[in-house]
Amino acid sequence: MYRIPTLISKKRDGNELNALEIQFLIDSVVQKTIEECQIGALLMAIYMKGMTVAETSSLTRAITYSGETFHWPQDWNGSVVDKHSTGGVGDKVSLPLAPALAACGMKVPMISGRGLGHTGGTLDKLESIPGFCTTFSGDEIKRLLSEVGCCIVGQTKDIVPADKVLYSRRDVTGTVESWPLISSSIVSKKAAESLTALVLDTKFGKGAFMKTEAEARQLASIMVEASNSVGVKTAALLTRMDSPVGWAVGNSLEVIEAVQCLHGNGPADLRELVLQLGGHLLLLAEKVSSAKEGADMIACKLHDGSALQTFQQMCIAQGVSEEVAKELCEQNFTKVFRKSQHTTQLISPETARLRARD
């Protein structure tokens, strides 16, 4: 029988925890036999001392199987895919990417999170759409995938319950930027989805958790190894986050840009991320012979309206009224979102060209 204080001390002193010790700690989180202060101490010990690749893989497996995992119909084999980003400012890529992939015939059970640290959460963005619901049971998620092909939802109470506890505690204990904790949180949720393939958007730069390309590459390597260790075919792309994705920052404003992207327009950097991430996912799932072919397929779905139609169907299936979904997808944004009561204009003292946004 292990003692929680002993295991916290072991990690605090920089020693490696074995798989059974990590399993005991995660079981204690789920069974609520660990004190809140002990969770905070454990997270800080991991943050300060780090974890080996073996520890991170063990932590990922323990969190993945702390609850139920999805089991999909046999005819979906090879078609269940997802994407995850390590987070950044203005990152609304998931909103157009999920329906674009579904329009390509994929199943996308995107289990997303809320804002963490300085980054915005995908669920927060979508919930700015009146009526949009992100809380569904496992059976309801299967129904959404059967009817629409994609959904963007929060964690159910039965899927990776350990991560739900740890995720919320990281934000209030100053331990957000821990590579093992970031990796295990991301990968465990995706592994519980029983995916065929996963693409990781690993961001670096001034607006990301990872400031340098070298840091992002190391984190990506950790996540890919952890993901492959639980049987998910995974690739990671390193993308810059020195300025916001697109031009808009803020929940409803980012939804607007996502809809513009679904019309085949919108900011060029957002569109490029959607094409590249989607293209690599289709390649991992062996639906195309190259990432470029996959990107071209995604571009086609953005231009022919099928991705937009799928997004509209997803909104309705997730609680948005048909009228609101129609107005949103027809870009009648003022009929969907309230205008801000307060605005501030920043006027340049001279004529100039904007070179960068911090």
Side-chain angles (χ1 to χ4, degrees):
M1 184 66 171
Y2 299 109
R3 292 184 66 250
I4 292 171
T6 302
L7 297 181
I8 293 173
S9 298
K10 183 176 180 180
K11 177 45 60 181
R12 178 203 65 197
D13 296 338
N15 297 310
E16 184 172 352
L17 299 172
N18 64 43
L20 291 177
E21 291 169 332
I22 291 172
Q23 186 66 59
F24 173 78
L25 287 167
I26 296 303
D27 288 344
S28 299
V29 170
V30 175
Q31 296 164 9
K32 300 180 179 178
T33 55
I34 184 171
E35 301 290 338
E36 284 287 333
C37 59
Q38 292 176 318
I39 295 176
L42 175 64
L43 292 172
M44 186 57 71
I46 294 172
Y47 176 84
M48 296 299 294
K49 298 299 182 178
M51 280 184 147
T52 65
V53 171
E55 283 180 297
T56 303
S57 294
S58 294
L59 181 62
T60 302
R61 281 192 295 272
I63 295 174
T64 298
Y65 298 108
S66 65
E68 296 180 2
T69 57
F70 283 106
H71 299 282
W72 308 115
Q74 191 170 356
D75 59 351
W76 293 4
N77 286 350
S79 297
V80 184
V81 301
D82 199 358
K83 157 264 177 191
H84 193 90
S85 167
T86 53
V89 180
D91 186 356
K92 71 279 293 180
V93 172
S94 294
L95 278 64
L97 178 59
L101 286 165
C104 292
M106 310 307 289
K107 301 294 183 183
V108 191
M110 196 171 281
I111 297 179
S112 299
R114 300 194 178 277
L116 190 61
H118 68 277
T119 65
T122 298
L123 300 184
D124 302 314
K125 302 178 204 300
L126 285 169
E127 286 179 344
S128 70
I129 304 171
F132 198 101
C133 179
T134 60
T135 303
F136 292 91
S137 68
D139 287 340
E140 289 170 330
I141 289 171
K142 289 181 184 178
R143 175 182 57 79
L144 289 172
L145 292 183
S146 295
E147 294 176 356
V148 181
C150 65
C151 60
I152 304 178
V153 299
Q155 291 172 239
T156 73
K157 63 182 178 63
D158 299 319
I159 300 295
V160 288
D163 178 68
K164 201 165 189 176
V165 175
L166 298 179
Y167 190 92
S168 62
R169 304 313 187 270
R170 283 167 56 204
D171 202 23
V172 296
T173 56
T175 56
V176 169
E177 299 93 342
S178 164
W179 294 2
L181 295 176
I182 291 172
S183 175
S184 59
S185 175
I186 291 172
V187 175
S188 63
K189 285 194 284 283
K190 302 309 177 183
E193 294 174 13
S194 300
L195 299 176
T196 299
L198 170 67
V199 68
L200 299 166
D201 183 3
T202 313
K203 296 193 175 298
F204 67 94
K206 289 186 284 187
F209 292 127
M210 305 299 128
K211 301 306 179 186
T212 67
E213 182 177 346
E215 289 178 325
R217 189 174 299 279
Q218 187 171 353
L219 174 61
S221 177
I222 292 169
M223 290 193 293
V224 169
E225 185 157 350
S227 188
N228 286 330
S229 76
V230 291
V232 179
K233 195 184 302 182
T234 306
L237 275 65
L238 306 184
T239 62
R240 286 191 175 277
M241 178 48 71
D242 288 320
S243 59
V245 176
W247 290 96
V249 177
N251 294 335
S252 61
L253 298 177
E254 293 184 46
V255 171
I256 290 171
E257 277 197 341
V259 172
Q260 291 170 342
C261 180
L262 285 163
H263 275 269
N265 304 310
D269 58 343
L270 172 60
R271 173 184 166 82
E272 184 65 15
L273 282 168
V274 171
L275 298 186
Q276 292 302 321
L277 292 166
H280 279 82
L281 259 181
L282 292 172
L283 176 62
L284 283 171
E286 300 180 6
K287 305 300 181 184
V288 293
S289 58
S290 70
K292 183 183 184 305
E293 183 185 347
D296 290 342
M297 185 182 295
I298 295 289
C300 178
K301 300 304 179 184
L302 294 177
H303 282 287
D304 69 11
S306 57
L308 178 67
Q309 183 179 16
T310 302
F311 178 78
Q312 183 172 340
Q313 292 170 347
M314 181 184 77
C315 287
I316 294 169
Q318 293 193 224
V320 179
S321 71
E322 291 189 18
E323 180 183 358
V324 168
K326 182 174 181 291
E327 296 286 6
L328 176 63
C329 291
E330 290 180 354
Q331 302 188 84
N332 296 322
F333 301 125
T334 57
K335 294 184 178 181
V336 178
F337 301 115
R338 290 184 304 157
K339 187 176 180 179
S340 175
Q341 293 181 344
H342 305 283
T343 60
T344 301
Q345 278 191 325
L346 301 177
I347 301 175
S348 173
E350 58 186 69
T351 301
R353 181 182 294 275
L354 181 64
R355 294 184 61 185
R357 292 157 289 146
D358 196 349

